[in-house]
Amino acid sequence: MKLPKWLRKVLVVTITVCTFGLVTPPASLMAADEPAADDSPSSDWQNNHSGSQMASVASEQETRAPILTRQQFIEQTMEKAVVQSYEKFGRKIAPVIKEEFRDVILPRIEEVIASFAEQYPEEQLQYLAVTENPSGGIGERIFHIYRVDTGEDIIRFHVRREHPPQDGYWFQFHYHTYHDHFQTHYELGKIYWDKNTPPQWRT
């Protein structure tokens, strides 16, 4: 049975994180197929593009990048989403929540990404990118999807800690969209941590 590329990426990252890099993931998983602040605009774009460069970004992207099919866009975006998620969780949190995140949260993230991909013509998908450097500490940002030609965020995937009275700690995964200026929390699911305070992200 052939695993989706993003799921293979999940397994590779999981093995690496859980063994502190001492175990190399199987070659079959490694084989490739064919070739800021949490709510601020995506810093990846800000760091790489000045105002004077904005006009040339679209034409450069069009020249360099082949047109993606929606399925290719979804697969590539999911691969990046997995990497950014495990980078955020860090070595202390990832081993505890990895299975539930993989089984419950990732499929919902994929559904949201697929739904957004349907809103764009395929020739426009090459202009959408995933941010890097998820927030650490107690920040919520996992990753954003933004337009490389304008720097505008399209969708923001976040996770926040919740501690209901008389209960333990939960990780609440959600996303925001540009449709309402990122005001609404659309829940993806919750994962229980423990009664003890969880470590900070990226530790």
Side-chain angles (χ1 to χ4, degrees), residues 93-182:
I93 293 177
V96 179
I97 70 170
K98 65 182 187 297
E99 290 184 9
E100 195 167 356
F101 177 75
R102 180 193 64 213
D103 295 341
V104 177
I105 306 300
L106 273 178
R108 294 178 183 171
I109 290 176
E110 184 174 20
E111 288 175 8
V112 173
I113 290 172
S115 175
F116 265 76
E118 287 294 328
Q119 300 176 24
Y120 291 86
E122 287 189 339
E123 59 269 19
Q124 290 291 315
L125 294 176
Q126 63 181 316
Y127 299 116
L128 302 182
V130 174
T131 59
E132 299 179 356
N133 301 315
S135 61
I138 59 171
E140 294 189 6
R141 168 174 157 165
I142 306 173
F143 66 93
H144 297 173
I145 297 177
Y146 68 103
R147 288 193 63 102
V148 297
D149 52 342
T150 65
E152 295 175 341
D153 284 346
I154 302 299
I155 185 168
R156 298 171 176 172
F157 289 93
H158 290 176
V159 57
R160 68 181 177 190
R161 299 155 186 250
E162 293 185 345
H163 188 201
Q166 310 302 318
D167 200 354
Y169 286 87
W170 294 79
F171 297 136
Q172 195 259 6
F173 293 85
H174 60 277
Y175 67 96
H176 311 267
T177 80
Y178 75 100
H179 292 302
D180 64 354
H181 304 288
F182 309 102

Side-chain angles (χ1 to χ4, degrees), residues 41-56:
S42 293
S43 58
D44 295 28
W45 182 87
Q46 292 176 326
N47 291 337
N48 292 318
H49 302 92
S50 66
S52 62
Q53 293 173 308
M54 287 180 61
S56 64

